[in-house]
Amino acid sequence: MAKATFAAGCFWGVEAAFRRIPGVNGTRVGYIGGKTANPTYKEVCTDTTGHAEAVEVDYDPAKTPYSSL
C-alpha cells in the first residue's frame, strides 16, 4: 500500500474520480497549507485561509502506479 496527496480546487469531484480507479483502496479529504488552525469547509471556501482542498489516496502501486493516478 502507498499514499499520495493531491490538491484540487474542489475535492468532492476529484475524490469520486479516484475511487473509480482500479487499485485505489480508499480516499480521505481535507485541507493542506493555509494559516487558519482547523478551518471549516465554509472558511476554506471564502479563499481567505490559504488552504487548498486535498484528497489523500490509499492505493496499491502494484495495481496502479503513481503515474496513473
Side-chain angles (χ1 to χ4, degrees):
M1 292 301 299
K3 291 185 187 288
T5 303
F6 299 90
C10 179
F11 50 57
W12 301 116
V14 175
E15 179 191 29
F18 279 122
R19 287 179 178 264
R20 292 190 294 267
I21 298 173
V24 170
N25 298 313
T27 60
R28 187 169 62 166
V29 300
Y31 311 110
I32 59 174
K35 60 185 179 206
T36 303
N38 302 311
T40 65
Y41 181 74
K42 187 175 180 178
E43 289 172 325
V44 172
C45 288
T46 65
D47 203 25
T48 60
T49 68
H51 289 82
E53 295 182 40
V55 179
E56 181 181 83
V57 180
D58 293 322
Y59 70 101
D60 183 345
K63 294 179 181 177
T64 302
Y66 177 84
S67 60
S68 294
L69 296 175

